[in-house]
Amino acid sequence: MPNAESLEVLYSEEVIAERIRVLGAEITQNYQGKELILVCVLKGAFPFLADLCRAIDMDVRIEFLGVSSYGAGTKSTGVVRITQDLAHPIKDKHVLLIEDIVDTGLTLRYILDNLTTRNPSSIGICTLLDKPANRRVEVEVDYSGFTIPDHFVIGYGMDLAESYRNLPYIGYFPPETLGND
Ligand code: IMP
Protein backbone atom coordinates (compact mmCIF):
# COMPACT_ATOMS: atom_id res chain seq x y z
CA MET A 1 0.00 0.00 0.00
CA PRO A 2 1.48 3.41 -0.95
CA ASN A 3 2.37 5.85 1.79
CA ALA A 4 -0.51 8.31 2.46
CA GLU A 5 2.03 11.15 2.55
CA SER A 6 2.56 10.81 -1.21
CA LEU A 7 -1.17 11.46 -1.88
CA GLU A 8 -2.01 14.41 -4.16
CA VAL A 9 -5.35 16.13 -3.50
CA LEU A 10 -7.49 16.46 -6.64
CA TYR A 11 -10.74 17.87 -5.16
CA SER A 12 -11.12 19.26 -1.65
CA GLU A 13 -14.20 18.78 0.54
CA GLU A 14 -15.32 22.35 -0.24
CA VAL A 15 -14.99 21.95 -4.00
CA ILE A 16 -16.91 18.65 -3.92
CA ALA A 17 -19.68 20.18 -1.78
CA GLU A 18 -20.15 23.14 -4.13
CA ARG A 19 -20.33 20.94 -7.25
CA ILE A 20 -22.88 18.65 -5.57
CA ARG A 21 -25.04 21.65 -4.66
CA VAL A 22 -25.22 22.56 -8.37
CA LEU A 23 -25.93 18.96 -9.46
CA GLY A 24 -28.70 18.68 -6.85
CA ALA A 25 -30.36 21.84 -8.12
CA GLU A 26 -30.24 20.57 -11.73
CA ILE A 27 -31.72 17.21 -10.76
CA THR A 28 -34.47 18.91 -8.71
CA GLN A 29 -35.42 21.01 -11.70
CA ASN A 30 -35.35 18.17 -14.23
CA TYR A 31 -37.40 15.65 -12.23
CA GLN A 32 -40.14 17.99 -10.97
CA GLY A 33 -43.48 16.17 -10.65
CA LYS A 34 -41.90 12.73 -11.20
CA GLU A 35 -41.39 9.81 -8.85
CA LEU A 36 -37.62 9.56 -8.63
CA ILE A 37 -35.60 6.65 -7.25
CA LEU A 38 -31.92 7.28 -6.58
CA VAL A 39 -30.07 3.99 -6.98
CA CYS A 40 -26.74 4.17 -5.19
CA VAL A 41 -24.13 1.85 -6.70
CA LEU A 42 -22.20 0.35 -3.79
CA LYS A 43 -19.82 0.57 -2.35
CA GLY A 44 -18.05 3.61 -3.77
CA ALA A 45 -21.01 5.99 -4.26
CA PHE A 46 -22.28 6.03 -0.67
CA PRO A 47 -20.84 9.43 0.40
CA PHE A 48 -21.88 10.99 -2.91
CA LEU A 49 -25.43 9.64 -2.50
CA ALA A 50 -25.60 10.92 1.09
CA ASP A 51 -24.58 14.45 0.07
CA LEU A 52 -26.42 14.55 -3.26
CA CYS A 53 -29.78 13.40 -1.89
CA ARG A 54 -29.67 16.29 0.61
CA ALA A 55 -29.00 18.72 -2.25
CA ILE A 56 -32.16 17.54 -4.05
CA ASP A 57 -35.16 19.59 -3.00
CA MET A 58 -38.01 17.12 -3.62
CA ASP A 59 -39.12 13.75 -2.30
CA VAL A 60 -37.02 10.84 -3.58
CA ARG A 61 -36.76 7.13 -2.85
CA ILE A 62 -33.37 5.61 -2.17
CA GLU A 63 -32.22 2.14 -3.20
CA PHE A 64 -28.86 0.42 -3.04
CA LEU A 65 -27.31 -1.85 -5.64
CA GLY A 66 -24.19 -3.75 -4.64
CA VAL A 67 -21.79 -4.36 -7.50
CA SER A 68 -18.29 -5.75 -7.55
CA SER A 69 -16.08 -5.18 -10.55
CA TYR A 70 -12.43 -4.80 -9.57
CA GLY A 71 -11.11 -7.33 -7.12
CA ALA A 72 -8.17 -5.90 -5.20
CA GLY A 73 -6.28 -4.22 -8.06
CA THR A 74 -6.60 -0.92 -9.89
CA LYS A 75 -7.52 -2.30 -13.35
CA SER A 76 -11.03 -3.29 -14.43
CA THR A 77 -11.42 -7.02 -14.98
CA GLY A 78 -14.57 -6.47 -17.04
CA VAL A 79 -16.31 -9.08 -14.87
CA VAL A 80 -19.22 -7.48 -13.02
CA ARG A 81 -21.21 -9.18 -10.27
CA ILE A 82 -24.34 -8.02 -8.43
CA THR A 83 -23.59 -8.56 -4.74
CA GLN A 84 -26.78 -6.93 -3.41
CA ASP A 85 -29.93 -6.42 -5.44
CA LEU A 86 -32.54 -3.62 -5.18
CA ALA A 87 -35.07 -4.10 -2.40
CA HIS A 88 -38.08 -2.94 -4.46
CA PRO A 89 -39.33 -3.05 -8.07
CA ILE A 90 -38.52 -0.09 -10.33
CA LYS A 91 -41.22 -0.75 -12.95
CA ASP A 92 -42.73 2.53 -14.24
CA LYS A 93 -40.43 4.61 -12.00
CA HIS A 94 -37.77 7.14 -12.93
CA VAL A 95 -34.40 5.78 -11.90
CA LEU A 96 -31.22 7.82 -11.48
CA LEU A 97 -28.10 5.70 -11.01
CA ILE A 98 -25.65 7.31 -8.60
CA GLU A 99 -22.05 6.27 -9.34
CA ASP A 100 -18.72 7.33 -7.92
CA ILE A 101 -16.73 7.09 -11.15
CA VAL A 102 -17.17 5.89 -14.73
CA ASP A 103 -13.92 4.42 -16.02
CA THR A 104 -14.18 1.69 -18.70
CA GLY A 105 -17.99 1.96 -18.61
CA LEU A 106 -18.32 -1.83 -18.25
CA THR A 107 -19.95 -1.69 -14.81
CA LEU A 108 -22.59 0.83 -15.85
CA ARG A 109 -23.25 -0.99 -19.14
CA TYR A 110 -23.94 -4.16 -17.17
CA ILE A 111 -26.18 -2.36 -14.65
CA LEU A 112 -28.10 -0.53 -17.40
CA ASP A 113 -28.73 -3.78 -19.31
CA ASN A 114 -29.87 -5.51 -16.13
CA LEU A 115 -32.17 -2.72 -14.87
CA THR A 116 -33.69 -2.07 -18.30
CA THR A 117 -35.25 -5.55 -18.23
CA ARG A 118 -37.25 -4.40 -15.16
CA ASN A 119 -39.12 -1.77 -17.25
CA PRO A 120 -38.49 1.53 -15.45
CA SER A 121 -39.96 4.69 -17.06
CA SER A 122 -36.42 6.04 -17.48
CA ILE A 123 -32.85 5.40 -16.35
CA GLY A 124 -30.42 8.28 -15.98
CA ILE A 125 -26.80 8.29 -14.87
CA CYS A 126 -25.27 10.67 -12.37
CA THR A 127 -21.58 10.17 -11.67
CA LEU A 128 -19.33 12.23 -9.46
CA LEU A 129 -16.29 11.56 -11.66
CA ASP A 130 -15.94 10.73 -15.32
CA LYS A 131 -12.60 9.29 -16.51
CA PRO A 132 -13.06 9.04 -20.28
CA ALA A 133 -9.45 7.97 -21.09
CA ASN A 134 -10.14 4.25 -20.45
CA ARG A 135 -13.66 3.99 -21.87
CA ARG A 136 -14.28 0.59 -23.52
CA VAL A 137 -18.06 0.76 -24.00
CA GLU A 138 -20.20 3.81 -24.61
CA VAL A 139 -22.48 4.98 -21.79
CA GLU A 140 -24.44 8.19 -21.85
CA VAL A 141 -23.77 10.15 -18.66
CA ASP A 142 -26.56 12.63 -17.80
CA TYR A 143 -24.93 14.36 -14.81
CA SER A 144 -21.21 14.45 -14.14
CA GLY A 145 -19.44 16.21 -11.27
CA PHE A 146 -15.93 16.39 -12.71
CA THR A 147 -14.11 14.98 -15.74
CA ILE A 148 -10.72 13.72 -14.59
CA PRO A 149 -7.47 12.65 -16.23
CA ASP A 150 -6.31 9.03 -16.13
CA HIS A 151 -5.40 8.81 -12.43
CA PHE A 152 -6.48 6.05 -10.07
CA VAL A 153 -8.30 8.15 -7.49
CA ILE A 154 -9.24 7.38 -3.90
CA GLY A 155 -11.25 8.94 -1.10
CA TYR A 156 -14.84 10.17 -0.76
CA GLY A 157 -16.04 6.55 -1.11
CA MET A 158 -13.43 5.33 -3.57
CA ASP A 159 -10.93 2.72 -2.48
CA LEU A 160 -7.63 1.11 -3.19
CA ALA A 161 -8.00 -2.52 -2.03
CA GLU A 162 -10.82 -1.38 0.34
CA SER A 163 -8.72 1.33 2.03
CA TYR A 164 -9.12 5.13 1.93
CA ARG A 165 -12.92 5.22 1.37
CA ASN A 166 -13.38 7.49 4.41
CA LEU A 167 -11.09 10.30 3.25
CA PRO A 168 -13.27 13.45 2.98
CA TYR A 169 -11.51 14.60 -0.21
CA ILE A 170 -10.54 12.97 -3.51
CA GLY A 171 -6.88 12.33 -4.22
CA TYR A 172 -4.52 10.10 -6.15
CA PHE A 173 -1.15 8.51 -5.76
CA PRO A 174 1.35 9.56 -8.42
CA PRO A 175 1.95 6.46 -10.63
CA GLU A 176 5.49 5.85 -9.36
CA THR A 177 4.09 5.18 -5.86
CA LEU A 178 1.72 2.41 -7.09
CA GLY A 179 2.67 -1.24 -7.64
CA ASN A 180 2.02 -3.13 -10.92
CA ASP A 181 -1.23 -5.02 -10.47
P1 IMP B 1 -15.69 0.77 -14.81
O1 IMP B 1 -16.53 -0.48 -14.90
O2 IMP B 1 -14.31 0.53 -15.34
O3 IMP B 1 -16.35 1.98 -15.44
O4 IMP B 1 -15.44 1.08 -13.30
C1 IMP B 1 -16.45 1.37 -12.45
C2 IMP B 1 -16.08 1.13 -11.00
O5 IMP B 1 -14.68 0.84 -10.82
C3 IMP B 1 -16.34 2.38 -10.20
O6 IMP B 1 -17.66 2.39 -9.73
C4 IMP B 1 -15.33 2.26 -9.09
O7 IMP B 1 -15.85 1.50 -8.03
C5 IMP B 1 -14.16 1.54 -9.72
N1 IMP B 1 -13.14 2.49 -10.18
C6 IMP B 1 -12.88 2.91 -11.44
N2 IMP B 1 -11.88 3.80 -11.47
C7 IMP B 1 -11.51 3.97 -10.19
C8 IMP B 1 -10.53 4.80 -9.55
O8 IMP B 1 -9.80 5.59 -10.16
N3 IMP B 1 -10.45 4.69 -8.19
C9 IMP B 1 -11.24 3.86 -7.46
N4 IMP B 1 -12.17 3.10 -8.01
C10 IMP B 1 -12.30 3.14 -9.37
Side-chain angles (χ1 to χ4, degrees):
M1 195 67 63
N3 185 333
E5 279 167 20
S6 53
L7 194 60
E8 301 272 346
V9 175
L10 196 55
Y11 299 111
S12 67
E13 271 185 90
E14 293 73 24
V15 168
I16 296 169
E18 175 53 23
R19 186 68 187 113
I20 290 178
R21 201 186 57 72
V22 173
L23 287 175
E26 276 179 38
I27 292 166
T28 306
Q29 195 173 24
N30 294 346
Y31 284 92
Q32 273 310 310
K34 294 181 176 160
E35 270 187 81
L36 176 60
I37 304 179
L38 303 178
V39 171
C40 175
V41 182
L42 295 172
K43 299 177 190 168
F46 77 92
F48 182 36
L49 180 273
D51 288 339
L52 181 68
C53 74
R54 289 177 290 173
I56 297 176
D57 189 17
M58 59 181 267
D59 191 34
V60 295
R61 305 266 171 95
I62 309 245
E63 290 278 336
F64 296 95
L65 184 67
V67 165
S68 163
S69 53
Y70 266 42
T74 62
K75 297 275 186 305
S76 179
T77 57
V79 179
V80 181
R81 244 173 358 109
I82 289 192
T83 55
Q84 180 186 316
D85 206 348
L86 303 180
H88 299 97
I90 54 170
K91 188 169 184 308
D92 300 330
K93 309 278 192 226
H94 294 278
V95 169
L96 187 58
L97 287 171
I98 311 300
E99 255 289 25
D100 51 358
I101 180 165
V102 186
D103 184 17
T104 62
L106 291 167
T107 304
L108 271 181
R109 185 73 267 156
Y110 177 88
I111 294 172
L112 283 172
D113 290 348
N114 183 299
L115 297 191
T116 300
T117 65
R118 308 182 196 192
N119 299 314
S121 294
S122 69
I123 307 187
I125 295 175
C126 176
T127 186
L128 181 61
L129 303 181
D130 187 1
K131 188 160 63 170
N134 294 327
R135 198 71 100 249
R136 284 166 60 186
V137 288
E138 197 157 324
V139 283
E140 201 173 310
V141 173
D142 300 279
Y143 305 91
S144 167
F146 305 97
T147 300
I148 63 164
D150 188 12
H151 294 307
F152 190 84
V153 291
I154 53 166
Y156 199 72
M158 289 168 285
D159 73 308
L160 175 60
E162 295 298 329
S163 282
Y164 307 112
R165 289 194 197 273
N166 59 323
L167 292 177
Y169 53 85
I170 296 170
Y172 67 97
F173 290 110
E176 62 276 12
T177 65
L178 284 172
N180 301 316
D181 53 1

